[in-house]
Amino acid sequence: MATADGRRGADRGTERSGAEAAPRRPGQRDAFFDNAKYLAIVLVAVGHAWEPLRSDSRTVTALYTLVYAFHMPAFIVIAGYYSRTFDGSPGRIRRLVTGVALPYVIFETAYTFFTRWTDGVPDRPITLLEPLYLTWFLASLFVWRLTTPVWKLVRWPVPVALAVAMLATMSPSLGEDLDVQRMLQFLPFFVLGLSLRPEHFRVVRTRRARLLAVPVFAAALAGAYWAVPRVNTGWLYHRDSAQELGFPAWYGPVATLVVFACSLLLVACFLSWVPGRRTWFTSLGAATLYGYLLHGFVAQVSKYWGWYDPEWLYEPLGAVVVTVVAAVVVTVLCSAPVRRVFRWAVEPRPDRAFRSASRPAD
């Protein structure tokens, strides 16, 4: 969902079992990261589509748990990686406001009105301080990116960010303004992305890494299946303190470290399977913010209109159909025709919101 800056060298490594990656021209987008963002947004949509099926299927719940362990961390790591050049300059502030803050205001308002209807809450207030549904990511990204210059100055940024997240899990009094719990608990993934370099991604893009990812994911799925009736998966949402999840405060720091390590391992495995070449969905990866923000309306209306009422959907074939439909829907929402219709809301033009900078005298 972050905008690529076209940096040289980000995808010039070789995959030991594949051909040499073609060098990118200056300003050209990196196919690897666009592919990763597309595959991640498909997992986000599929995860939301699986929610109504979880109560009737332990297998679906295990898959849902596995996906939630790494899909948003993967997005946030990439967002952090592409935030490395943010320096607080006027141009980047303008792009941050128009590319993140304005869409947040638009979609926060839109989701409020829409869920008044679908949830049957006609008096739901419009507030920009309590992100509704999917919009928490935009609010968090705005704050994370503003703090980028600070993390560049810190000697050990990732350990410090982890310490902040650990303390947040012990503080139920933080409240819900800007979904601050989720903002702070996901912070280490963003700061990790800021700290990564192209060579770090090349490490996971080898044949050996792809082969190792298979047993890791198999073990993770088996572990998720075992954990379904035994473990509180609320830790994976990163939106509650330890006390709010029903645990003593000291559980929070321990769970933060465990979840971070597990999520990071799964993110690395996920990235190892992402192709580095251009594919049919590479261009869609440049528009994942459209799929992210728009698919929530489909998810909401599907429950309101009773799309999950047929009993056959709760059988294995039904789960497969739901998965395919969710993937197709989010793919369409990332397509060029949809982008043309909703560009005014997702990608407002900076020149319409700010005055043009005056040119310096000769």
Side-chain angles (χ1 to χ4, degrees):
M1 283 180 282
T3 302
D5 292 332
R7 300 177 185 83
R8 286 180 291 175
D11 190 30
R12 293 190 180 177
T14 60
E15 295 182 285
R16 295 178 184 176
S17 64
E20 181 81 18
R24 290 184 292 115
R25 296 186 301 274
Q28 183 180 1
R29 294 185 65 91
D30 191 321
F32 170 75
F33 290 104
D34 282 341
N35 292 339
K37 290 190 292 180
Y38 169 77
L39 295 174
I41 195 61
V42 168
L43 291 176
V44 170
V46 168
H48 286 149
W50 282 342
E51 284 186 6
L53 308 180
R54 288 189 299 156
S55 60
D56 285 43
S57 173
R58 183 174 177 178
T59 300
V60 171
T61 305
L63 289 168
Y64 176 91
T65 301
L66 176 62
V67 166
Y68 264 74
F70 73 89
H71 70 347
M72 284 310 297
F75 257 132
I76 295 168
V77 167
I78 295 174
Y81 180 75
Y82 277 122
S83 298
R84 294 176 302 157
T85 58
F86 183 86
D87 55 6
S89 63
R92 296 194 182 278
I93 291 292
R94 284 196 294 269
R95 189 68 189 95
L96 180 62
V97 170
T98 56
V100 179
L102 287 182
Y104 171 70
V105 173
I106 292 170
F107 281 91
E108 175 69 16
T109 304
Y111 271 115
T112 299
F113 281 111
F114 195 74
T115 56
R116 283 180 179 181
W117 169 53
T118 57
D119 292 348
V121 186
D123 57 346
R124 173 167 285 162
I126 298 176
T127 172
L128 300 181
L129 292 179
E130 296 182 12
L132 182 64
Y133 200 30
L134 302 170
T135 58
W136 71 267
F137 177 78
L138 292 178
S140 295
L141 181 60
F142 184 83
V143 175
W144 291 335
R145 193 162 284 173
L146 278 180
T147 64
T148 294
V150 175
W151 296 110
K152 290 180 179 179
L153 297 175
V154 175
R155 186 181 297 272
W156 299 291
V158 176
V160 171
L162 270 172
V164 171
M166 293 162 67
L167 291 174
T169 62
M170 302 174 68
S171 308
S173 60
L174 287 177
E176 298 182 357
D177 289 352
L178 295 182
D179 213 343
V180 67
Q181 274 287 356
R182 193 142 43 179
M183 182 189 299
L184 296 179
Q185 290 188 38
F186 273 118
L187 176 64
F189 297 103
F190 181 82
V191 175
L192 175 64
L194 288 175
S195 306
L196 294 177
R197 295 294 179 266
E199 55 267 25
H200 296 131
F201 290 96
R202 286 198 288 268
V203 171
V204 301
R205 298 175 59 192
T206 62
R207 177 180 176 83
R208 181 180 181 183
R210 287 196 298 272
L211 292 176
L212 289 174
V214 175
V216 171
F217 263 117
L221 179 58
Y225 189 87
W226 172 87
V228 166
R230 299 176 175 88
V231 179
N232 188 335
T233 57
W235 296 109
L236 299 178
Y237 306 142
H238 299 276
R239 64 189 179 201
D240 297 302
S241 66
Q243 296 93 320
E244 290 169 321
L245 291 174
F247 296 94
W250 65 268
Y251 269 56
V254 175
T256 298
L257 292 176
V258 171
V259 171
F260 181 77
C262 293
S263 296
L264 188 57
L265 177 61
L266 292 174
V267 168
C269 292
F270 165 72
L271 293 176
S272 72
W273 289 349
V274 173
R277 66 187 184 280
R278 291 195 62 82
T279 67
W280 65 268
F281 56 79
T282 300
S283 61
L284 301 174
T288 49
L289 190 57
Y290 288 82
Y292 179 81
L293 292 173
L294 295 174
H295 88 276
F297 294 105
V298 181
Q300 289 289 320
V301 81
S302 67
K303 301 170 187 177
Y304 181 79
W305 282 344
W307 293 358
Y308 286 91
D309 289 348
E311 294 184 2
W312 66 271
L313 287 178
Y314 299 86
E315 300 174 358
L317 178 60
V320 173
V321 171
V322 168
T323 302
V324 172
V325 170
V328 170
V329 167
V330 78
T331 299
V332 171
L333 294 177
C334 294
S335 65
V338 174
R339 296 202 301 268
R340 284 194 292 269
V341 173
F342 291 100
R343 181 169 285 117
W344 63 272
V346 180
E347 294 182 290
R349 290 175 53 181
D351 57 352
R352 294 181 178 177
F354 296 94
R355 294 178 297 176
S356 298
S358 58
R359 296 181 178 177
D362 292 336

mmCIF file of all heavy atoms in Angstrom, residues 38 41-43 45-50 53 63 280 298 308 312-313 316-333:
data_model
loop_
_atom_site.group_PDB
_atom_site.id
_atom_site.type_symbol
_atom_site.label_atom_id
_atom_site.label_comp_id
_atom_site.label_asym_id
_atom_site.label_seq_id
_atom_site.Cartn_x
_atom_site.Cartn_y
_atom_site.Cartn_z
ATOM 1 N N TYR A 38 0.231 -7.099 -3.722
ATOM 2 C CA TYR A 38 -0.987 -7.694 -4.282
ATOM 3 C C TYR A 38 -1.354 -8.980 -3.553
ATOM 4 O O TYR A 38 -2.504 -9.188 -3.156
ATOM 5 C CB TYR A 38 -0.827 -7.970 -5.773
ATOM 6 C CG TYR A 38 -1.948 -8.825 -6.313
ATOM 7 C CD1 TYR A 38 -3.211 -8.278 -6.567
ATOM 8 C CD2 TYR A 38 -1.770 -10.205 -6.508
ATOM 9 C CE1 TYR A 38 -4.255 -9.073 -7.013
ATOM 10 C CE2 TYR A 38 -2.811 -10.995 -6.960
ATOM 11 C CZ TYR A 38 -4.049 -10.433 -7.214
ATOM 12 O OH TYR A 38 -5.086 -11.221 -7.646
ATOM 13 N N ILE A 41 -2.730 -8.200 -0.134
ATOM 14 C CA ILE A 41 -4.096 -7.655 -0.086
ATOM 15 C C ILE A 41 -5.117 -8.741 -0.385
ATOM 16 O O ILE A 41 -6.235 -8.720 0.137
ATOM 17 C CB ILE A 41 -4.257 -6.461 -1.059
ATOM 18 C CG1 ILE A 41 -5.535 -5.674 -0.724
ATOM 19 C CG2 ILE A 41 -4.341 -6.921 -2.500
ATOM 20 C CD1 ILE A 41 -5.552 -5.087 0.668
ATOM 21 N N VAL A 42 -4.753 -9.722 -1.193
ATOM 22 C CA VAL A 42 -5.648 -10.859 -1.415
ATOM 23 C C VAL A 42 -5.862 -11.609 -0.098
ATOM 24 O O VAL A 42 -6.998 -11.990 0.241
ATOM 25 C CB VAL A 42 -5.084 -11.801 -2.495
ATOM 26 C CG1 VAL A 42 -5.857 -13.120 -2.521
ATOM 27 C CG2 VAL A 42 -5.157 -11.141 -3.865
ATOM 28 N N LEU A 43 -4.804 -11.793 0.662
ATOM 29 C CA LEU A 43 -4.929 -12.476 1.951
ATOM 30 C C LEU A 43 -5.775 -11.663 2.928
ATOM 31 O O LEU A 43 -6.531 -12.234 3.723
ATOM 32 C CB LEU A 43 -3.542 -12.738 2.540
ATOM 33 C CG LEU A 43 -2.688 -13.768 1.801
ATOM 34 C CD1 LEU A 43 -1.304 -13.865 2.431
ATOM 35 C CD2 LEU A 43 -3.365 -15.132 1.800
ATOM 36 N N ALA A 45 -8.298 -9.653 2.137
ATOM 37 C CA ALA A 45 -9.692 -9.817 1.732
ATOM 38 C C ALA A 45 -10.208 -11.215 2.048
ATOM 39 O O ALA A 45 -11.342 -11.388 2.524
ATOM 40 C CB ALA A 45 -9.832 -9.524 0.230
ATOM 41 N N VAL A 46 -9.380 -12.209 1.804
ATOM 42 C CA VAL A 46 -9.786 -13.587 2.095
ATOM 43 C C VAL A 46 -9.987 -13.781 3.597
ATOM 44 O O VAL A 46 -10.947 -14.434 4.032
ATOM 45 C CB VAL A 46 -8.728 -14.570 1.551
ATOM 46 C CG1 VAL A 46 -8.969 -15.977 2.093
ATOM 47 C CG2 VAL A 46 -8.762 -14.588 0.023
ATOM 48 N N GLY A 47 -9.113 -13.193 4.398
ATOM 49 C CA GLY A 47 -9.275 -13.293 5.845
ATOM 50 C C GLY A 47 -10.592 -12.705 6.311
ATOM 51 O O GLY A 47 -11.287 -13.305 7.153
ATOM 52 N N HIS A 48 -10.966 -11.550 5.774
ATOM 53 C CA HIS A 48 -12.256 -10.960 6.147
ATOM 54 C C HIS A 48 -13.422 -11.825 5.663
ATOM 55 O O HIS A 48 -14.450 -11.930 6.337
ATOM 56 C CB HIS A 48 -12.373 -9.554 5.551
ATOM 57 C CG HIS A 48 -11.528 -8.546 6.267
ATOM 58 N ND1 HIS A 48 -10.972 -7.459 5.651
ATOM 59 C CD2 HIS A 48 -11.135 -8.468 7.556
ATOM 60 C CE1 HIS A 48 -10.286 -6.750 6.516
ATOM 61 N NE2 HIS A 48 -10.366 -7.352 7.688
ATOM 62 N N ALA A 49 -13.256 -12.449 4.493
ATOM 63 C CA ALA A 49 -14.330 -13.303 3.973
ATOM 64 C C ALA A 49 -14.494 -14.573 4.803
ATOM 65 O O ALA A 49 -15.593 -15.141 4.867
ATOM 66 C CB ALA A 49 -14.043 -13.664 2.517
ATOM 67 N N TRP A 50 -13.424 -15.019 5.437
ATOM 68 C CA TRP A 50 -13.504 -16.236 6.255
ATOM 69 C C TRP A 50 -14.156 -15.996 7.612
ATOM 70 O O TRP A 50 -14.570 -16.959 8.267
ATOM 71 C CB TRP A 50 -12.097 -16.776 6.499
ATOM 72 C CG TRP A 50 -11.512 -17.515 5.337
ATOM 73 C CD1 TRP A 50 -12.178 -18.037 4.265
ATOM 74 C CD2 TRP A 50 -10.125 -17.824 5.142
ATOM 75 N NE1 TRP A 50 -11.293 -18.653 3.410
ATOM 76 C CE2 TRP A 50 -10.032 -18.536 3.924
ATOM 77 C CE3 TRP A 50 -8.969 -17.571 5.869
ATOM 78 C CZ2 TRP A 50 -8.812 -19.000 3.424
ATOM 79 C CZ3 TRP A 50 -7.755 -18.029 5.382
ATOM 80 C CH2 TRP A 50 -7.684 -18.729 4.170
ATOM 81 N N LEU A 53 -17.289 -17.807 8.642
ATOM 82 C CA LEU A 53 -17.210 -19.270 8.546
ATOM 83 C C LEU A 53 -16.471 -19.904 9.711
ATOM 84 O O LEU A 53 -16.465 -21.126 9.849
ATOM 85 C CB LEU A 53 -16.503 -19.674 7.243
ATOM 86 C CG LEU A 53 -17.026 -19.068 5.936
ATOM 87 C CD1 LEU A 53 -16.200 -19.591 4.761
ATOM 88 C CD2 LEU A 53 -18.500 -19.394 5.739
ATOM 89 N N LEU A 63 -6.643 -21.593 9.388
ATOM 90 C CA LEU A 63 -6.128 -20.834 8.251
ATOM 91 C C LEU A 63 -6.238 -19.338 8.501
ATOM 92 O O LEU A 63 -5.318 -18.569 8.188
ATOM 93 C CB LEU A 63 -6.896 -21.220 6.983
ATOM 94 C CG LEU A 63 -6.610 -22.615 6.419
ATOM 95 C CD1 LEU A 63 -7.638 -22.977 5.353
ATOM 96 C CD2 LEU A 63 -5.203 -22.688 5.847
ATOM 97 N N TRP A 280 1.110 -11.018 -14.312
ATOM 98 C CA TRP A 280 -0.160 -10.389 -14.700
ATOM 99 C C TRP A 280 -0.729 -9.525 -13.586
ATOM 100 O O TRP A 280 -1.531 -8.621 -13.835
ATOM 101 C CB TRP A 280 -1.178 -11.449 -15.099
ATOM 102 C CG TRP A 280 -1.588 -12.371 -13.976
ATOM 103 C CD1 TRP A 280 -1.030 -13.558 -13.652
ATOM 104 C CD2 TRP A 280 -2.647 -12.155 -13.021
ATOM 105 N NE1 TRP A 280 -1.664 -14.104 -12.551
ATOM 106 C CE2 TRP A 280 -2.664 -13.273 -12.161
ATOM 107 C CE3 TRP A 280 -3.580 -11.131 -12.828
ATOM 108 C CZ2 TRP A 280 -3.572 -13.388 -11.110
ATOM 109 C CZ3 TRP A 280 -4.497 -11.246 -11.786
ATOM 110 C CH2 TRP A 280 -4.484 -12.358 -10.944
ATOM 111 N N VAL A 298 -17.781 -4.210 0.493
ATOM 112 C CA VAL A 298 -18.324 -5.488 0.032
ATOM 113 C C VAL A 298 -18.487 -6.448 1.209
ATOM 114 O O VAL A 298 -19.500 -7.147 1.327
ATOM 115 C CB VAL A 298 -17.405 -6.103 -1.039
ATOM 116 C CG1 VAL A 298 -17.981 -7.424 -1.539
ATOM 117 C CG2 VAL A 298 -17.219 -5.134 -2.209
ATOM 118 N N TYR A 308 -24.154 -15.010 3.354
ATOM 119 C CA TYR A 308 -23.629 -16.159 4.086
ATOM 120 C C TYR A 308 -24.740 -17.061 4.642
ATOM 121 O O TYR A 308 -24.457 -17.970 5.421
ATOM 122 C CB TYR A 308 -22.733 -15.693 5.231
ATOM 123 C CG TYR A 308 -21.393 -15.179 4.785
ATOM 124 C CD1 TYR A 308 -21.194 -13.826 4.499
ATOM 125 C CD2 TYR A 308 -20.308 -16.035 4.641
ATOM 126 C CE1 TYR A 308 -19.958 -13.352 4.092
ATOM 127 C CE2 TYR A 308 -19.071 -15.573 4.230
ATOM 128 C CZ TYR A 308 -18.903 -14.229 3.952
ATOM 129 O OH TYR A 308 -17.680 -13.767 3.534
ATOM 130 N N TRP A 312 -24.633 -24.505 2.541
ATOM 131 C CA TRP A 312 -23.536 -25.176 1.842
ATOM 132 C C TRP A 312 -22.237 -24.373 1.910
ATOM 133 O O TRP A 312 -21.151 -24.938 1.709
ATOM 134 C CB TRP A 312 -23.906 -25.453 0.387
ATOM 135 C CG TRP A 312 -24.095 -24.211 -0.456
ATOM 136 C CD1 TRP A 312 -25.239 -23.513 -0.636
ATOM 137 C CD2 TRP A 312 -23.077 -23.548 -1.214
ATOM 138 N NE1 TRP A 312 -25.021 -22.442 -1.463
ATOM 139 C CE2 TRP A 312 -23.707 -22.435 -1.840
ATOM 140 C CE3 TRP A 312 -21.724 -23.774 -1.443
ATOM 141 C CZ2 TRP A 312 -23.006 -21.565 -2.667
ATOM 142 C CZ3 TRP A 312 -21.020 -22.902 -2.257
ATOM 143 C CH2 TRP A 312 -21.657 -21.821 -2.873
ATOM 144 N N LEU A 313 -22.321 -23.073 2.221
ATOM 145 C CA LEU A 313 -21.115 -22.268 2.340
ATOM 146 C C LEU A 313 -20.249 -22.706 3.515
ATOM 147 O O LEU A 313 -19.047 -22.423 3.543
ATOM 148 C CB LEU A 313 -21.472 -20.791 2.496
ATOM 149 C CG LEU A 313 -21.997 -20.067 1.252
ATOM 150 C CD1 LEU A 313 -22.351 -18.627 1.597
ATOM 151 C CD2 LEU A 313 -20.962 -20.094 0.136
ATOM 152 N N PRO A 316 -16.743 -27.680 3.139
ATOM 153 C CA PRO A 316 -15.436 -27.407 2.517
ATOM 154 C C PRO A 316 -15.532 -26.728 1.163
ATOM 155 O O PRO A 316 -14.777 -25.792 0.877
ATOM 156 C CB PRO A 316 -14.821 -28.808 2.412
ATOM 157 C CG PRO A 316 -15.424 -29.565 3.555
ATOM 158 C CD PRO A 316 -16.836 -29.065 3.664
ATOM 159 N N LEU A 317 -16.446 -27.181 0.313
ATOM 160 C CA LEU A 317 -16.588 -26.548 -1.004
ATOM 161 C C LEU A 317 -17.016 -25.099 -0.869
ATOM 162 O O LEU A 317 -16.546 -24.223 -1.617
ATOM 163 C CB LEU A 317 -17.604 -27.319 -1.854
ATOM 164 C CG LEU A 317 -17.870 -26.728 -3.245
ATOM 165 C CD1 LEU A 317 -16.593 -26.692 -4.068
ATOM 166 C CD2 LEU A 317 -18.964 -27.541 -3.961
ATOM 167 N N GLY A 318 -17.876 -24.826 0.081
ATOM 168 C CA GLY A 318 -18.314 -23.454 0.293
ATOM 169 C C GLY A 318 -17.178 -22.542 0.699
ATOM 170 O O GLY A 318 -17.076 -21.394 0.244
ATOM 171 N N ALA A 319 -16.283 -23.040 1.562
ATOM 172 C CA ALA A 319 -15.134 -22.239 1.980
ATOM 173 C C ALA A 319 -14.230 -21.929 0.791
ATOM 174 O O ALA A 319 -13.674 -20.827 0.679
ATOM 175 C CB ALA A 319 -14.356 -22.976 3.061
ATOM 176 N N VAL A 320 -14.096 -22.911 -0.113
ATOM 177 C CA VAL A 320 -13.284 -22.678 -1.317
ATOM 178 C C VAL A 320 -13.926 -21.606 -2.185
ATOM 179 O O VAL A 320 -13.244 -20.705 -2.701
ATOM 180 C CB VAL A 320 -13.113 -23.993 -2.111
ATOM 181 C CG1 VAL A 320 -12.428 -23.717 -3.452
ATOM 182 C CG2 VAL A 320 -12.316 -25.000 -1.302
ATOM 183 N N VAL A 321 -15.231 -21.671 -2.356
ATOM 184 C CA VAL A 321 -15.943 -20.677 -3.166
ATOM 185 C C VAL A 321 -15.797 -19.286 -2.558
ATOM 186 O O VAL A 321 -15.533 -18.303 -3.271
ATOM 187 C CB VAL A 321 -17.435 -21.063 -3.293
ATOM 188 C CG1 VAL A 321 -18.233 -19.917 -3.939
ATOM 189 C CG2 VAL A 321 -17.585 -22.334 -4.112
ATOM 190 N N VAL A 322 -15.956 -19.180 -1.254
ATOM 191 C CA VAL A 322 -15.812 -17.885 -0.576
ATOM 192 C C VAL A 322 -14.401 -17.336 -0.792
ATOM 193 O O VAL A 322 -14.214 -16.140 -1.051
ATOM 194 C CB VAL A 322 -16.115 -18.035 0.931
ATOM 195 C CG1 VAL A 322 -15.682 -16.787 1.697
ATOM 196 C CG2 VAL A 322 -17.600 -18.295 1.151
ATOM 197 N N THR A 323 -13.397 -18.206 -0.703
ATOM 198 C CA THR A 323 -12.011 -17.779 -0.893
ATOM 199 C C THR A 323 -11.785 -17.235 -2.295
ATOM 200 O O THR A 323 -11.190 -16.163 -2.479
ATOM 201 C CB THR A 323 -11.061 -18.965 -0.640
ATOM 202 O OG1 THR A 323 -11.272 -19.464 0.690
ATOM 203 C CG2 THR A 323 -9.617 -18.547 -0.807
ATOM 204 N N VAL A 324 -12.277 -17.955 -3.295
ATOM 205 C CA VAL A 324 -12.088 -17.540 -4.687
ATOM 206 C C VAL A 324 -12.818 -16.227 -4.964
ATOM 207 O O VAL A 324 -12.266 -15.318 -5.601
ATOM 208 C CB VAL A 324 -12.568 -18.646 -5.651
ATOM 209 C CG1 VAL A 324 -12.557 -18.147 -7.094
ATOM 210 C CG2 VAL A 324 -11.699 -19.879 -5.511
ATOM 211 N N VAL A 325 -14.050 -16.116 -4.481
ATOM 212 C CA VAL A 325 -14.825 -14.895 -4.713
ATOM 213 C C VAL A 325 -14.137 -13.695 -4.070
ATOM 214 O O VAL A 325 -14.045 -12.617 -4.676
ATOM 215 C CB VAL A 325 -16.260 -15.058 -4.164
ATOM 216 C CG1 VAL A 325 -16.996 -13.722 -4.168
ATOM 217 C CG2 VAL A 325 -17.026 -16.080 -4.991
ATOM 218 N N ALA A 326 -13.641 -13.854 -2.854
ATOM 219 C CA ALA A 326 -12.954 -12.750 -2.178
ATOM 220 C C ALA A 326 -11.717 -12.320 -2.958
ATOM 221 O O ALA A 326 -11.448 -11.117 -3.110
ATOM 222 C CB ALA A 326 -12.571 -13.159 -0.758
ATOM 223 N N ALA A 327 -10.950 -13.294 -3.458
ATOM 224 C CA ALA A 327 -9.752 -12.965 -4.233
ATOM 225 C C ALA A 327 -10.107 -12.240 -5.522
ATOM 226 O O ALA A 327 -9.435 -11.275 -5.916
ATOM 227 C CB ALA A 327 -8.971 -14.243 -4.539
ATOM 228 N N VAL A 328 -11.165 -12.682 -6.186
ATOM 229 C CA VAL A 328 -11.587 -12.034 -7.432
ATOM 230 C C VAL A 328 -12.083 -10.618 -7.171
ATOM 231 O O VAL A 328 -11.746 -9.677 -7.901
ATOM 232 C CB VAL A 328 -12.687 -12.873 -8.125
ATOM 233 C CG1 VAL A 328 -13.300 -12.094 -9.289
ATOM 234 C CG2 VAL A 328 -12.121 -14.201 -8.616
ATOM 235 N N VAL A 329 -12.865 -10.442 -6.118
ATOM 236 C CA VAL A 329 -13.418 -9.120 -5.810
ATOM 237 C C VAL A 329 -12.307 -8.115 -5.538
ATOM 238 O O VAL A 329 -12.306 -7.000 -6.082
ATOM 239 C CB VAL A 329 -14.380 -9.211 -4.602
ATOM 240 C CG1 VAL A 329 -14.711 -7.811 -4.070
ATOM 241 C CG2 VAL A 329 -15.660 -9.921 -5.002
ATOM 242 N N VAL A 330 -11.354 -8.476 -4.699
ATOM 243 C CA VAL A 330 -10.295 -7.521 -4.365
ATOM 244 C C VAL A 330 -9.397 -7.268 -5.572
ATOM 245 O O VAL A 330 -8.854 -6.164 -5.735
ATOM 246 C CB VAL A 330 -9.480 -8.009 -3.150
ATOM 247 C CG1 VAL A 330 -8.480 -9.084 -3.540
ATOM 248 C CG2 VAL A 330 -8.767 -6.848 -2.489
ATOM 249 N N THR A 331 -9.245 -8.258 -6.451
ATOM 250 C CA THR A 331 -8.480 -8.050 -7.685
ATOM 251 C C THR A 331 -9.164 -7.029 -8.577
ATOM 252 O O THR A 331 -8.517 -6.119 -9.125
ATOM 253 C CB THR A 331 -8.307 -9.382 -8.434
ATOM 254 O OG1 THR A 331 -7.585 -10.302 -7.604
ATOM 255 C CG2 THR A 331 -7.554 -9.181 -9.743
ATOM 256 N N VAL A 332 -10.459 -7.156 -8.714
ATOM 257 C CA VAL A 332 -11.219 -6.187 -9.521
ATOM 258 C C VAL A 332 -11.119 -4.786 -8.922
ATOM 259 O O VAL A 332 -10.984 -3.791 -9.643
ATOM 260 C CB VAL A 332 -12.692 -6.622 -9.628
ATOM 261 C CG1 VAL A 332 -13.543 -5.528 -10.272
ATOM 262 C CG2 VAL A 332 -12.807 -7.919 -10.438
ATOM 263 N N LEU A 333 -11.137 -4.693 -7.606
ATOM 264 C CA LEU A 333 -11.077 -3.385 -6.951
ATOM 265 C C LEU A 333 -9.718 -2.712 -7.124
ATOM 266 O O LEU A 333 -9.607 -1.496 -6.913
ATOM 267 C CB LEU A 333 -11.401 -3.536 -5.467
ATOM 268 C CG LEU A 333 -12.827 -3.966 -5.147
ATOM 269 C CD1 LEU A 333 -13.013 -4.143 -3.648
ATOM 270 C CD2 LEU A 333 -13.845 -2.951 -5.682
#
